C-alpha cells in the first residue's frame, strides 16, 4: 500500500512572534515530496512529482497567497494564545 500525509507547523522562538515561520509538508511513503515554507514564500519540490506540483502551485497566485496568509490566520493567532497560557501559569 501507499501512505500519504500532510503536516503543518508553526515555529517561533521569541515572545513578539516576529520570527514565526509556517511550514506545510506533503509526504508520500514517509518522504517529503513538496514543502511550503513562509520564509521562502513558495513551494519547493524534492522529487520529480514534487517539482512538477511546485511549478504548477507556484504559478497560482491565489494558492501562494493562501499559504502565506497562514502565518497570520493560524500561526500568530494560536501562538499568541499559547504564549498567554504559558505566561498565565508561570
Amino acid at each position: 500500500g501507499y501512505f500519504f500525509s500532510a503536516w503543518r507547523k508553526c515555529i517561533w522562538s521569541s515572545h513578539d512572534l516576529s520570527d514565526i515561520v509556517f511550514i506545510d509538508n506533503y509526504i508520500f511513503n514517509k518522504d517529503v515530496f513538496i514543502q511550503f515554507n513562509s520564509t521562502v514564500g513558495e513551494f519547493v519540490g524534492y522529487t520529480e512529482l514534487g517539482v512538477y506540483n511546485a511549478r504548477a502551485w507556484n504559478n497560482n497566485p491565489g494558492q501562494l497567497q493562501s499559504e502565506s496568509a497562514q502565518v497570520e490566520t493560524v500561526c500568530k493567532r494560536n501562538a499568541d494564545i499559547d504564549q498567554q497560557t504559558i505566561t498565565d501559569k508561570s
Side-chain angles (χ1 to χ4, degrees), residues 4 11 23 27-28 32 38 42 54 59-60 62-64 66-67 77-78 80 82 85 88:
F4 173 82
I11 302 170
I23 298 175
I27 303 156
F28 183 72
V32 175
S38 64
E42 64 180 19
N59 286 328
N60 182 344
Q63 189 163 7
L64 285 178
S66 175
E67 288 286 329
R77 181 173 175 231
N78 289 322
D80 190 43
D82 291 347
T85 303
D88 289 346

Side-chain angles (χ1 to χ4, degrees), residues 39-54:
T39 57
V40 176
E42 64 180 19
F43 289 94
V44 176
Y46 296 104
T47 65
E48 187 176 339
L49 175 63
V51 170
Y52 175 82
N53 284 328

Side-chain angles (χ1 to χ4, degrees), residues 5 7-8 15 20 24 26 37 45 52 64 73-75 88:
S5 66
W7 61 258
R8 302 168 144 203
H15 292 290
I20 203 158
D24 191 4
Y26 295 86
N37 183 320
Y52 175 82
L64 285 178
T73 59
V74 175
C75 293
D88 289 346

